[in-house]
Amino acid sequence: MLKITIITATYNSEATLRDTMDSILRQTWQGYEYIVIDGASTDGTLDIIKEYEPKFEGKMRYISEPDRGIYDAMNKGFAMATGNVIGILNSDDFYTSVDVLQTIAGNFLLGEMDAVYADIHYVKNDDVTKTVRYYSSAIFRRPLMRFGLMPAHPSFYCSRAVYEKYGGFDTSYSIASDFENLLRLIYIHRIKTKYIKKDFVTMRVGGASTAGIRSRQMIMKEHLRALRAHGVHSNIFLLSLRYFYKLHEFVKN
């Protein structure tokens, strides 16, 4: 059976982690392993991890120790992974439906691909039934990475062999290592990808990459750095154009 590794990085995540774990436990595809990388949380996160471990019936492993940020934690998860396919489910996110892993596995079993990606949506922190933004990856094409566009990273599930060959996250990026990683895999090394028209993940607003003007400025700076590091021509004007496209993603309530 194809095995999917799901990695969750946690740090003081007690308010949302139960939703994340419950959504995994509800999945119809049982061929998975679950790895939790905790950054030495000081709240009740570790208690929740220990409470839920038996519910996974041997499919869950975890460590709790200081790290150098979320990308360092994710790399630790990559190093521990034994699945054929690896994906990341953040500790304030959860799967939108019970058949997400089933869909991923079914597509990989068809062969001839290195990675799949899909759609996600954002909800209010205080009311997860209220959608504020729908992020569709349908428009994505490789050349659009010059404009800073990429597939919704929380929906990205990739062969472990690809990560072993081309590497995980570059921890020198503070907020856009996911973009650099996808740029390296998709644009530079041209891995074979497939878009799946399905909403994979529900995300609460307010994550590191969705909060504030200063965050957007940092994203712009790090996107430019990644593009230049890989010899891909772009500039601030081209990267700014993506914000006009993203306006249509927001949902009026």
Side-chain angles (χ1 to χ4, degrees):
M1 176 183 285
L2 181 139
K3 182 163 71 172
I4 300 171
T5 298
I6 308 158
I7 298 169
T8 297
T10 62
Y11 182 70
N12 291 350
S13 307
E14 66 175 353
T16 58
L17 184 57
R18 291 179 188 276
D19 287 348
T20 305
M21 292 185 166
D22 283 336
S23 77
I24 298 172
L25 289 169
R26 286 194 293 266
Q27 291 298 300
T28 55
W29 181 263
Q30 290 297 301
Y32 70 82
E33 66 174 357
Y34 185 37
I35 297 175
V36 181
I37 309 296
D38 180 63
S41 292
T42 57
D43 64 355
T45 297
L46 193 56
D47 292 332
I48 294 172
I49 292 170
K50 291 177 179 178
E51 172 193 339
Y52 269 72
E53 183 185 19
K55 298 182 181 182
F56 285 91
E57 299 179 340
K59 296 179 182 178
M60 175 180 166
R61 289 178 287 150
Y62 71 90
I63 60 172
S64 181
E65 63 186 23
D67 55 47
R68 293 179 289 113
I70 190 169
Y71 297 123
D72 181 41
M74 291 174 181
N75 281 341
K76 290 180 181 181
F78 285 172
M80 293 172 62
T82 63
N84 310 91
V85 175
I86 300 176
I88 292 164
L89 186 64
N90 294 321
S91 61
D92 49 1
D93 305 343
F94 53 91
Y95 287 124
T96 302
S97 59
V98 300
D99 62 344
V100 171
L101 295 186
Q102 185 84 41
T103 301
I104 294 166
N107 278 271
F108 269 99
L109 288 171
L110 294 174
E112 299 183 356
M113 72 188 68
D114 297 313
V116 300
Y117 58 87
D119 303 342
I120 63 173
H121 75 283
Y122 294 83
V123 295
K124 291 184 176 181
N125 274 312
D126 56 353
D127 186 352
V128 297
T129 67
K130 296 291 186 181
T131 300
V132 296
R133 177 185 170 197
Y134 190 91
Y135 183 162
S136 172
S137 298
I139 192 177
F140 177 75
R141 300 293 185 275
R142 178 180 170 272
L144 292 176
M145 299 202 81
R146 292 181 56 220
F147 297 85
L149 288 169
M150 64 179 182
H153 192 265
S155 74
F156 186 75
Y157 281 71
C158 186
S159 163
R160 178 164 58 93
V162 166
Y163 286 122
E164 290 174 345
K165 185 174 183 179
Y166 298 124
F169 293 103
D170 183 340
T171 58
S172 68
Y173 292 84
S174 62
I175 198 171
S177 188
D178 50 355
F179 176 78
E180 189 281 332
N181 178 259
L182 293 185
L183 181 72
R184 184 168 10 107
L185 299 184
I186 297 173
Y187 196 99
I188 301 301
H189 296 297
R190 296 174 177 265
I191 65 169
K192 296 178 181 179
T193 62
K194 179 183 179 181
Y195 167 67
I196 299 171
K197 186 176 176 56
K198 185 177 178 63
D199 181 354
F200 275 11
V201 177
T202 302
M203 300 183 65
R204 291 174 173 86
V205 294
S209 62
T210 62
I213 294 175
R214 292 185 67 181
S215 172
R216 295 185 190 281
Q217 291 173 335
M218 178 63 75
I219 289 172
M220 182 80 73
K221 180 180 178 181
E222 293 199 347
H223 278 197
L224 271 175
R225 178 186 157 203
L227 288 158
R228 289 168 179 168
H230 290 292
V232 181
H233 173 69
S234 189
N235 53 49
I236 291 175
F237 173 72
L238 290 178
L239 290 178
S240 298
L241 292 176
R242 73 191 180 105
Y243 290 111
F244 292 98
Y245 166 74
K246 285 182 173 293
L247 288 174
H248 88 279
E249 295 177 351
F250 291 89
V251 177
K252 292 181 180 180
N253 290 308

